[in-house]
């Protein structure tokens, strides 16, 4: 007798007072991934949950991203298990069942439509760990910090909806004033890391800094939505998320500032988690 996977799937559409869950059974001998299981349900059940049926077949899009057993994962690459809970991606309005509105850009404005549903454990509470502080009274907008920042050394033309990297990702001098952008707090736990479906955001085990692994990142934008401090952006020309990682705990802008207007605050060595006391792992 073949083993059967039991799937509990979130159901909701406009007009319902609250979400419900429907149970399905799928033979694991015929199905290996969550997305394949959804297609099996489509072909063998009358009451079929809505899900995005596009497949890039490369594991590089986010059309099948959803919450799988309370974690944001891609259904196309997640292996089927004997018991699984499938819910729509947290942080986005629900259109129907597992389908959410990731948003569209229209006339320069970002819009999303659907019903926002509060669910248990919807958002990880990110706790700031260490960060940069800026004393504007000492700054003379010399631009040295902008010049030495590695994130600003990625020349490109300005994309309409992406990041003008040549203008400064983390620091920029605008009209004679230093503008601070995305001084990441290296949170513990980190909401962006929890939201990434590709494990493209990691923590440096030595410094505790949260960094983006560009080889894995596909610029899906889930980390941008998850960050409660708006410290992550999308560098659309390269198709990557981008943020300050404090140069892995040794920010180049701090010693470069001739006025000592930038200060690293809160870091401890060796780095340990404030939640568990354990040393960080990447």
């Amino acid at each position: 007798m073949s083993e059967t996977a039991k799937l509990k799937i979130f159901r909701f559409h406009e007009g319902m007072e609250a979400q419900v869950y429907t149970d399905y059974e799928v033979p694991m001998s015929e199905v290996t991934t969550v997305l394949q299981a959804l297609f099996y349900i489509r072909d063998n059940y009358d009451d079929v949950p809505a899900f995005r049926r596009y497949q890039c077949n490369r594991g590089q899009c986010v059309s099948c991203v959803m919450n799988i057993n309370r974690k944001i994962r891609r259904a196309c690459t997640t292996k089927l298990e004997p018991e699984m809970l499938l819910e729509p991606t947290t942080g986005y309005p629900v259109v129907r069942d597992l389908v959410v509105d990731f948003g569209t850009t229209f006339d320069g404005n970002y819009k999303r439509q659907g019903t926002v549903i509060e669910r248990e454990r919807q958002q990880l509470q990110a706790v700031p760990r260490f960060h940069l502080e800026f004393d504007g009274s000492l700054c003379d907008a010399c631009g040295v910090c902008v010049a030495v920042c590695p994130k600003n050394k990625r020349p490109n033309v300005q994309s309409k909806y992406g990041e003008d990297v040549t203008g400064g990702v983390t620091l920029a001098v605008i009209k004679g004033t230093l503008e601070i952008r995305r001084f990441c707090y290296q949170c513990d736990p980190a909401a962006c890391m929890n939201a990434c479906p590709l494990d493209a955001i990691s923590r440096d085990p030595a410094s505790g800094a949260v960094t983006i692994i560009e080889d894995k990142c596909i610029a899906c934008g889930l980390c941008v939505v998850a960050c409660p401090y708006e410290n992550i952006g999308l560098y659309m020309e390269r198709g990557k998320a981008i943020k300050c990682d404090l140069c892995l705990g040794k920010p180049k802008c701090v010693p470069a500032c001739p006025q000592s207007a930038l200060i690293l605050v809160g870091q401890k060595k060796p780095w340990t988690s404030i939640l568990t006391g354990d040393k960080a792992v990447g």
Side-chain angles (χ1 to χ4, degrees):
M1 182 176 181
S2 62
E3 188 176 6
T4 300
K6 296 181 179 179
L7 278 63
K8 183 178 290 293
I9 300 180
F10 177 102
R11 308 297 301 275
F12 179 85
H13 60 79
E14 188 176 355
M16 292 177 61
E17 294 184 359
Q19 69 270 28
V20 297
Y21 290 83
T22 303
D23 295 323
Y24 300 90
E25 291 189 358
V26 175
M28 297 186 69
S29 59
E30 300 180 34
V31 175
T32 59
T33 69
V34 171
L35 187 58
Q36 289 175 349
L38 289 170
F39 278 109
Y40 178 91
I41 292 172
R42 180 200 64 179
D43 296 336
N44 293 276
Y45 282 84
D46 294 328
D47 183 19
V48 179
F51 65 97
R52 284 195 167 90
R53 301 174 184 183
Y54 170 76
Q55 298 180 77
C56 69
N57 294 318
R58 294 178 299 172
Q60 293 183 344
C61 75
V62 293
S63 61
C64 67
V65 165
M66 62 186 67
N67 271 30
I68 301 175
N69 290 344
R70 304 291 189 185
K71 294 183 178 180
I72 298 177
R73 291 292 182 264
R74 291 173 295 167
C76 67
T77 59
T78 301
K79 297 298 183 183
L80 194 65
E81 299 176 7
E83 293 187 7
M84 304 196 84
L85 173 65
L86 307 186
E87 298 174 297
T89 309
T90 54
Y92 294 89
V94 176
V95 177
R96 187 181 183 94
D97 300 337
L98 299 175
V99 179
V100 300
D101 185 358
F102 289 115
T104 56
T105 303
F106 181 74
D107 289 341
N109 296 314
Y110 190 69
K111 297 182 178 180
R112 292 184 295 177
Q113 296 180 338
T115 304
V116 176
I117 300 175
E118 295 295 332
R119 302 202 306 277
E120 183 182 1
R121 297 175 61 186
Q122 180 171 346
Q123 285 283 33
L124 185 72
Q125 296 301 314
V127 180
R129 180 55 190 240
F130 61 96
H131 62 283
L132 291 177
E133 285 190 358
F134 169 63
D135 187 343
S137 65
L138 299 177
C139 177
D140 60 6
C142 65
V144 172
C145 58
V146 179
V148 300
C149 176
K151 303 302 180 186
N152 291 341
K153 294 181 178 180
R154 304 180 181 202
N156 69 310
V157 298
Q158 183 174 5
S159 62
K160 186 174 182 181
Y161 304 117
E163 189 71 60
D164 182 6
V165 174
T166 54
V169 171
T170 57
L171 298 151
V173 176
I174 308 295
K175 296 181 179 180
T177 302
L178 182 66
E179 181 178 303
I180 307 300
R181 304 174 178 178
R182 304 189 180 97
F183 270 6
C184 176
Y185 295 125
Q186 320 304 327
C187 295
D188 174 29
C192 59
M193 189 185 305
N194 185 66
C196 180
L198 290 89
D199 296 323
I201 301 180
S202 181
R203 192 183 300 278
D204 178 56
S207 67
V210 177
T211 185
I212 294 171
I213 306 171
E214 291 196 357
D215 289 344
K216 293 184 178 182
C217 178
I218 59 172
C220 67
L222 296 180
C223 59
V224 177
V225 175
C227 177
Y229 306 107
E230 300 182 354
N231 283 332
I232 304 179
L234 293 181
Y235 180 14
M236 297 306 291
E237 277 209 346
R238 295 188 62 181
K240 306 295 179 183
I242 193 165
K243 64 180 280 294
C244 174
D245 56 15
L246 295 180
C247 301
L248 299 184
K250 298 179 180 179
K252 293 179 172 58
C253 58
V254 173
C257 179
Q259 305 298 331
S260 300
L262 294 169
I263 305 169
L264 182 60
V265 177
Q267 188 182 34
K268 295 180 180 179
K269 296 280 190 167
W271 189 88
T272 55
S273 170
I274 60 176
L275 299 183
T276 64
D278 298 328
K279 190 171 182 179
V281 293

